[in-house]
Amino acid sequence: MLTFHDHRTQNRRSTSELAGGELIAPLECPERVDMIADRIREVGLGDIRGATMHGLEPIAAVHDPAYIDFIENAWADWRAAGYTGEAIATVWPTRRTRSDFVPQNIDGKLGYYALAAETAIEAGTWEAARASVDIALTALDHVQTTGEAAFGLCRPPGHHAAFDQYGGYCFFNNAAIAAQAAREAGASRVAILDVDYHHGNGTQQIFYDRDDVLFVSLHCDPVHEFPHYLGRPDERGAGAGEGYNRNHALPPGTDYTTWVAELEAAMSGIDDYDPDLVIVSLGVDTFEGDPIGSFKLVSDDFTDYGRRLAGMKRPTLFLMEGGYAVAEIGINAVNVLAGFDRG
Ligand code: OKP
Ligand code: ZN
């Protein structure tokens, strides 16, 4: 399988993640992609190719243009306010206040567009987030022109990013942008299968009222886990999208036997939908050694489910999402892809 990547993703080098009341070294770090790229070369998965620029239009087909402008200018606005640390939201529109206007002040803007405070914006964020989208769209081009599967080694991840919100380490929703681009290029139906440990709230929100993009997610129940406020099984879509959003919420500590039974159920739903393209939001934070996940998958399980994904026999685009056990992230991510190739 071919991998697509762009070194501009490594320009995101945030030094601060707000966690447990402290600023820690961010879990979503540049070394994550180095480890995956090293493993791809080590096992000979296939070539790693560069990404081509796809511009802002495909991003604006999914995200609010004012939100895109905000991401572009947030760092400069923050610096202009005289702040010396990284840009972190500290105040929000809440249930008891208004959210029908965007404040002009940078602190107000950050809270308006942030869905969580852990994710800081810094000098390289805009360029890296755009590169991540270009990677996804270049990998999609390959799937569309050859029918072969492809891997977009995206970073930062995307599945928490909603129409006009960033957070959970995500800025632009790579999978949603690719799905929309595929629709515009002629695909009738696209399925997004999100296997990251966390619910893909952003992807769900973007397609919630649509039946042309099916969103299926396996994740830890948000009652127990980030993103906390979305991802329950009773969220099934709205209007034309009713029935086209499927949340397989699993308890903390879920092991592979339980997880893979849910995956089989999810895949059978995808098969019934008969999509022209399957986009896999590939988070490997389901690994037993993940520092923020509680699921119990071991490295061989990733190979096994990669093989099962190939059984869908659909054009497939893999896009990297989460996974924070840096020492094993290459093994686990590449196991899925190699299992798929062998399947
Ligand atoms: C991004 B992705 C742990 C807090 C974790 C943020 C998690 C973001 C996950 N105590 N907060 O879905 O892998
Ligand atoms: Zn995750």
Side-chain angles (χ1 to χ4, degrees), residues 51-341:
T52 54
M53 308 266 211
H54 284 68
L56 288 177
E57 208 179 306
I59 304 180
V62 158
H63 290 287
D64 182 355
Y67 169 72
I68 301 171
D69 286 347
F70 162 76
I71 297 293
E72 180 172 13
N73 297 312
W75 177 242
D77 291 355
W78 178 259
R79 299 282 296 180
Y83 297 132
T84 51
E86 296 187 339
I88 296 178
T90 55
V91 60
W92 273 267
T94 69
R95 287 186 299 284
R96 315 286 176 235
T97 62
R98 289 172 62 173
S99 56
D100 61 323
F101 65 94
V102 186
Q104 289 180 26
N105 167 282
I106 185 60
D107 289 280
K109 277 189 186 175
L110 281 164
Y112 183 87
Y113 289 118
L115 62 87
E118 82 290 299
T119 303
I121 293 176
E122 44 73 68
T125 300
W126 162 251
E127 198 177 20
R130 288 204 53 192
S132 199
V133 172
D134 285 331
I135 290 166
L137 292 172
T138 308
L140 172 66
D141 290 341
H142 184 78
V143 176
Q144 285 175 325
T145 55
T146 65
E148 293 169 9
F151 176 44
L153 181 41
C154 297
R155 170 187 183 261
H159 73 153
H160 297 303
F163 173 66
D164 57 0
Q165 286 181 306
Y166 74 97
Y169 318 151
C170 304
F171 301 92
F172 297 135
N173 196 312
N174 306 309
I177 293 164
Q180 179 64 26
R183 283 281 297 115
E184 288 175 23
S188 301
R189 286 173 307 283
V190 177
I192 300 175
L193 173 60
D194 189 327
V195 296
D196 188 281
Y197 172 76
H198 303 95
H199 177 245
N201 61 284
T203 318
Q204 168 171 316
Q205 179 269 316
I206 287 164
F207 298 115
Y208 203 64
D209 58 3
R210 289 169 51 170
D211 61 2
D212 59 330
V213 179
L214 172 71
F215 180 64
V216 185
S217 180
L218 262 71
H219 52 268
C220 188
D221 193 325
V223 164
H224 301 288
E225 192 48 275
F226 187 91
H228 304 296
Y229 314 110
L230 209 67
R232 309 237 59 222
D234 63 343
E235 298 156 17
R236 299 195 22 87
E242 176 92 56
Y244 296 93
N245 192 90
R246 299 180 195 159
N247 286 326
H248 298 255
L250 298 161
T254 293
D255 65 11
Y256 188 61
T257 308
T258 304
W259 191 89
V260 81
E262 280 313 302
L263 180 73
E264 290 289 351
M267 287 194 302
S268 121
I270 289 172
D271 196 54
D272 293 343
Y273 183 67
D274 192 23
D276 302 311
L277 172 71
V278 176
I279 298 176
V280 179
S281 268
L282 180 59
V284 295
D285 40 10
T286 49
F287 178 54
E288 62 171 354
D290 195 275
I292 57 171
S294 69
F295 288 178
K296 298 280 180 278
L297 274 64
V298 301
S299 292
D300 286 345
D301 296 333
F302 291 90
T303 311
D304 182 75
Y305 88 69
R307 199 179 283 121
R308 290 170 190 257
L309 294 174
M312 285 194 287
K313 303 201 185 307
R314 307 269 173 188
T316 304
L317 171 63
F318 290 92
L319 298 177
M320 197 66 211
E321 300 279 1
Y324 308 101
V326 176
E328 292 93 355
I329 189 175
I331 294 168
N332 295 336
V334 176
N335 277 1
V336 176
L337 307 171
F340 185 94
D341 275 352

